[in-house]
Amino acid sequence: MREGKAFIFAAPSGSGKTTIVKHLLEQNPKLGFSISASTRDRRGRTEENGKDYYFLSKEEFKQKIDEDDFIEWEEVYEGNFYGTLKSEIQKIWDSGKHVVFDVDVKGALHLKQYFGDKALAVFVKVPSIEILKKRLMDRDTESPESLSRRIYKAEFEMSFEDKFDVTLLNEHLPESFAKAEKLVEDFVEKA
Ligand code: 5GP
């Protein structure tokens, strides 16, 4: 069995981690994205099934839990399940790439425990909770309820920063991209 490394990016929703992860995947051909399964609704204009997520019904998701298909799964938001599929990791490693995760904070800590020294857990941090709120509102993808749920959760998630291997402060995107690229390169080089 072939094994690569694992890069786990986690952060409160709205911190820009998905933008950073997408950048890394475009920039570095040695990285492959672990597409999660999710039961939430697809954001119609921007997301594709099998690219951003495998969008599943709750029944399909439960079946995968029963069949032990997940490394970790969680009800990230009430009624919405998200999970990392074992098959994704093997597929990416078999193709000779390192795997990149975009998950919530709890999921990230599970994955770090699972992969140990093979993984680098990166906490993407926003300068302040006000900026985070603004970013979420500007994104205009959330209902008022979903927005307040995400903000509540974000405040809680901020307290887990010290459990990560490294913090990436996301203030100016070009700098954040450069920092993320360097983190990946250095960790790939490491024996
Ligand atoms: P969104 O609905 O904004 O795409 O994602 C909501 C949160 O769930 C984000 O923090 C995202 O990173 C996280 N997430 C996505 N996939 C997974 C997964 O497989 N496991 C866990 N634990 N969280 C995930």
Side-chain angles (χ1 to χ4, degrees), residues 17 36 40 43 53 72 74 82-84 102-104 150:
K17 87 178 152 200
S36 294
R40 82 146 159 74
R43 293 179 190 139
Y53 286 107
E72 60 82 38
E74 253 185 273
Y82 295 76
T84 303
D102 174 341
V103 291
D104 83 330
R150 278 172 191 261

Side-chain angles (χ1 to χ4, degrees), residues 5-11 17-18 21 24-25 32-36 71-72 83-86 88-90 92-93 98-104 107-108 111-112 114-115 118-120 122 124:
K5 293 200 168 157
F7 294 93
I8 308 164
F9 285 85
K17 87 178 152 200
T18 303
V21 164
L24 284 174
L25 290 160
F33 181 56
S34 165
I35 303 166
S36 294
I71 294 178
E72 60 82 38
T84 303
L85 292 158
K86 291 178 182 167
E88 280 291 297
I89 319 310
Q90 206 45 59
I92 293 165
W93 280 350
H98 307 289
V99 63
V100 177
F101 299 95
D102 174 341
V103 291
D104 83 330
L111 290 172
K112 173 67 190 177
Y114 183 87
F115 291 110
K118 278 202 292 289
L120 184 73
V122 183
V124 181

Side-chain angles (χ1 to χ4, degrees), residues 9-14 17-18 33-38 40-41 43 47 52-53 55 61 70 72-77 80-85 101-108 110-111 136 139 141-142 150 153 157:
F9 285 85
S13 185
K17 87 178 152 200
T18 303
F33 181 56
S34 165
I35 303 166
S36 294
S38 175
R40 82 146 159 74
D41 291 336
R43 293 179 190 139
E47 291 185 330
D52 300 281
Y53 286 107
F55 292 100
F61 198 98
F70 291 114
E72 60 82 38
W73 64 269
E74 253 185 273
E75 190 174 0
V76 175
Y77 298 107
N80 284 334
F81 294 83
Y82 295 76
T84 303
L85 292 158
F101 299 95
D102 174 341
V103 291
D104 83 330
V105 165
K106 235 164 107 188
H110 279 141
L111 290 172
L136 275 174
R139 193 159 85 178
T141 52
E142 313 303 322
R150 278 172 191 261
K153 189 172 155 74
E157 287 187 320

Side-chain angles (χ1 to χ4, degrees), residues 166-179:
V166 55
T167 294
L168 176 60
L169 182 66
N170 184 20
E171 213 159 359
H172 306 292
L173 263 184
E175 279 168 35
S176 306
F177 287 166
K179 280 191 268 181

